[in-house]
Amino acid sequence: MAFLYGVREKLLENVKESMQPGNETGSTKMVDQATLDKLEAGFAKFQATESKSLLKKYLTKEIFDALKVKKTSFGSSLLDVVQSGFENPDSGVGIYAPDAEAYIVFADLFDPIIEDYHKGFKKTDKHPPKNWGDVDSFANLDPNGEFVISTRVRCGRSLQGYPFNPCLTEAQYKEMEEKVSSTLSGLEGELKGQFYPLTGMTKEVQQKLIDDHFLFKEGDRFLQAANACRFWPTGRGIYHNDNKTFLVWCNEEDHLRLISMQMGGDLGQVYRRLVSAVNDIEKRLPFSHDDRLGFLTFCPTNLGTTVRASVHIKLPKLAADLSKLEEIAGRYNLQVR
């Protein structure tokens, strides 16, 4: 299935189709007894924990009972959504979307978590139309090089027509990697570079990518519990340009993580490079997008623009008092990493 009409429109088509005799699709699909048993046992165990996650906050017994029998047309159940949070009660959020439809089928759980995490984006709100803004409005944050060590801007994207990691088959992983590598090989100018598949990677290439801090690894316990690391390393790969200022991760957590970065504080240059790259890639690889939520990815923390910008800065005196640093960062909705 391709999300050619937007996720909501396609899901409505599925529901209408499911009403025809002999059809069972979309949110009307019921889970099997084994899945129900796992959900019931997991929910009971999770409720007994002291978890501070958003999953614990919003997965009430009423919501659980309403959603536990539902499935998306990709076959995703509530178990696929919550299993990472159940197994890792120390999660901050605790849920993932196994496919784009999950944001609608399990909206009664996703919507309040999205509103809480994204500081007030209500279920009645709508993300603005796609717009990168004025890319020339950003300048060098630290022209004298006194404070900023490096600058990084990234975004996540999902390929239209494919589910997210937990629902991908091995064949789909391979198909996606081929599409991504062939598309990236067409990049030109400062974006021109090379794609390195994880499958069959030599020790020399592996060490080179480790030294450059580019290589991602299997083993994140939150992703493992979400069933997002199957068939590893099939379908995974890394691309970087010749200048090592533009990087793409293929099928790590999201289908694509696109990263622009460089030493120093020239945010404008970093941002313009990312915008140029994403626009070029989207011409050949349509992305999964929803009119209300914006760009859709595996984790509800990465919705809307999915853009995150960060700087690595020197604050030796403030960093000497971690509690003071965290207090000031919190005042401006920043995170200390």
Side-chain angles (χ1 to χ4, degrees), residues 20-314:
Q20 301 301 315
N23 284 343
E24 186 187 60
T25 186
S27 60
T28 57
K29 256 187 177 179
M30 297 300 180
V31 302
D32 56 59
Q33 190 58 49
T35 300
L36 271 177
D37 291 343
K38 287 181 183 178
L39 273 168
E40 294 284 3
F43 181 71
K45 183 178 178 182
F46 182 63
Q47 287 298 98
T49 70
E50 297 296 320
S51 175
K52 302 277 195 301
S53 70
L54 295 180
L55 173 63
K56 180 70 177 293
K57 184 176 180 180
Y58 292 107
L59 187 62
T60 64
K61 184 68 166 65
E62 181 182 8
I63 295 295
F64 176 78
D65 287 338
L67 299 180
K68 65 183 181 183
V69 296
K70 293 187 175 183
K71 266 189 174 185
T72 71
S73 65
F74 283 105
S76 302
S77 70
L78 181 63
L79 183 63
D80 296 304
V81 173
V82 302
Q83 58 190 348
S84 183
F86 278 7
E87 291 185 31
N88 298 285
D90 60 332
S91 297
V93 178
I95 65 171
Y96 289 99
D99 59 61
E101 284 181 15
Y103 284 111
I104 299 166
V105 174
F106 303 105
D108 288 346
L109 178 59
F110 275 105
D111 284 348
I113 288 178
I114 289 169
E115 180 176 348
D116 193 317
Y117 184 87
H118 293 280
K119 310 299 181 188
F121 185 84
K122 299 178 174 59
K123 62 181 180 181
T124 53
D125 289 337
K126 187 175 180 180
H127 192 265
K130 291 184 260 185
N131 187 344
W132 290 102
D134 181 2
V135 297
D136 295 318
S137 62
F138 296 108
N140 193 323
L141 303 174
D142 184 24
N144 297 323
E146 297 179 80
F147 304 105
V148 179
I149 299 171
S150 61
T151 303
R152 178 180 185 265
V153 184
R154 66 85 164 156
C155 67
R157 291 291 185 268
S158 303
L159 301 193
Q160 189 174 269
Y162 290 91
F164 304 151
N165 271 331
C167 298
L168 285 169
T169 65
E170 187 170 15
Q172 285 175 320
Y173 270 115
K174 293 177 179 178
E175 181 178 283
M176 290 174 68
E177 183 190 2
E178 174 57 35
K179 285 184 178 182
V180 170
S181 62
S182 62
T183 297
L184 295 177
S185 68
L187 295 179
E188 299 175 345
E190 73 161 335
L191 300 175
K192 185 176 180 294
Q194 185 174 347
F195 184 85
Y196 301 88
L198 265 61
T199 302
M201 182 178 287
T202 65
K203 288 186 177 180
E204 291 76 19
V205 170
Q206 185 181 52
Q207 190 58 50
K208 174 177 174 292
L209 292 170
I210 289 173
D211 292 342
D212 290 332
H213 305 288
F214 287 171
L215 190 66
F216 59 82
K217 301 177 183 179
E218 179 189 16
D220 179 277
R221 62 187 172 97
F222 302 100
L223 295 179
Q224 290 274 17
N227 209 22
C229 300
R230 297 173 309 132
F231 312 117
W232 196 281
T234 297
R236 279 83 173 183
I238 296 170
Y239 175 92
H240 68 73
N241 66 344
D242 296 336
N243 293 332
K244 298 181 179 178
T245 55
F246 174 65
L247 176 69
V248 179
W249 288 354
C250 177
N251 283 324
E252 181 249 359
E253 175 177 325
D254 292 315
H255 294 168
L256 295 177
R257 279 285 174 94
L258 304 108
I259 304 161
S260 178
M261 59 192 179
Q262 66 188 48
M263 302 303 291
D266 197 339
L267 175 62
Q269 191 173 30
V270 173
Y271 184 65
R272 285 188 291 274
R273 183 187 303 117
L274 180 72
V275 172
S276 175
V278 175
N279 285 342
D280 195 338
I281 294 168
E282 189 173 18
K283 291 175 185 175
R284 287 167 282 179
L285 280 179
F287 299 139
S288 184
H289 184 272
D290 178 68
D291 286 342
R292 189 176 85 82
L293 295 175
F295 288 101
L296 302 174
T297 64
F298 185 42
C299 184
T301 63
N302 289 319
L303 294 170
T305 66
T306 78
V307 171
R308 291 190 186 180
S310 61
V311 287
H312 186 193
I313 59 177
K314 292 179 284 190

